[in-house]
Amino acid sequence: MGHRLSKIYTRTGDAGTTGLGNGNRVSKNSLRIHTVDEANAAIGVLLCEEMPDEVRQLLVNVQHDLFDLGGEVCIPGMEMITAKQVQHLEDELDRFNDDLEPLKDFILPGGTRAAALCHQARTICRRAERSMVRLYTAEPLSDAARRFINRLSDLLFILGRQLNRAGGRGDVLWQKGKNAA
């Protein structure tokens, strides 16, 4: 870590700018300022819930990877997310999806509190992905970084289903036109 934070407020952002990881200052609405931190915080809230140990450990590891991803996005030219990290998410997706019933309908976020929070983290990951795609169209960003955030939202969808199952609930199925009549 290049800079130690001994004082949290610096007043350097009062004019609407923030520092990137390389020391450059940019507008707080720069494409480099993203929602990866928000996704990490949402997973932190999710981790306050009861869940199977294997899901908990996976999510803790994901938080570390998200911090790497945030570092990559805030330092132009830096590549911290690797193909190995993307492959790990794909392996976990396959593992956790293997014993779930195939979906025949769309599902709604809900069921248990943990599952609902998992779906909320998923939607925040999707927002981070959209932000990263906008950045990618303007500046270089690694393919692995984009693939990682895409796979993570998929993983959170599957984990939401798993958390409902662990909590003794099933998927909350969407009912087309339920209130139309």
Side-chain angles (χ1 to χ4, degrees):
M1 189 161 125
H3 302 284
R4 297 284 177 195
L5 298 176
S6 57
K7 191 174 185 180
I8 298 303
Y9 72 91
T10 62
R11 298 186 177 113
T12 57
D14 290 350
T17 64
T18 191
L20 294 178
N22 64 0
N24 292 344
R25 298 214 51 91
V26 297
S27 172
K28 288 186 177 185
N29 68 359
S30 165
L31 292 174
R32 290 246 170 232
I33 308 308
H34 50 85
T35 55
V36 172
D37 186 43
E38 188 180 358
N40 208 338
I43 291 173
V45 172
L46 170 58
L47 284 166
C48 294
E49 299 296 316
E50 291 294 320
M51 65 184 63
D53 288 339
E54 63 183 346
V55 174
R56 179 174 305 285
Q57 188 56 52
L58 173 58
L59 290 173
V60 167
N61 289 336
V62 161
Q63 283 193 297
H64 289 275
D65 287 341
L66 279 172
F67 219 85
D68 289 344
L69 178 61
E72 180 170 330
V73 174
C74 85
I75 303 173
M78 175 68 74
E79 290 190 19
M80 296 180 72
I81 295 296
T82 66
K84 179 182 174 188
Q85 287 163 296
V86 175
Q87 184 62 54
H88 176 70
L89 291 184
E90 290 176 0
D91 293 344
E92 293 297 323
L93 264 159
D94 291 341
R95 181 169 74 96
F96 281 101
N97 193 46
D98 273 349
D99 63 347
L100 290 173
E101 290 292 319
L103 283 175
K104 296 177 183 142
D105 296 297
F106 289 107
I107 65 170
L108 301 176
T112 65
R113 180 175 167 83
L117 289 170
C118 200
H119 282 287
Q120 185 175 36
R122 174 186 57 79
T123 64
I124 293 168
C125 279
R126 286 285 189 218
R127 183 170 50 227
E129 181 181 14
R130 290 188 301 271
S131 176
M132 289 172 59
V133 166
R134 283 191 304 276
L135 173 61
Y136 179 74
T137 62
E139 301 179 39
L141 184 65
S142 78
D143 289 338
R146 290 190 339 271
R147 286 194 318 269
F148 180 87
I149 198 73
N150 188 332
R151 295 310 180 283
L152 179 56
S153 60
D154 295 338
L155 178 63
L156 290 168
F157 178 84
I158 296 301
L159 291 179
R161 295 186 70 204
Q162 284 286 352
L163 289 170
N164 266 340
R165 177 199 264 175
R169 300 283 302 266
D171 294 319
V172 180
L173 300 177
W174 170 59
Q175 298 171 25
K176 181 180 179 183
K178 180 178 192 272
N179 299 313

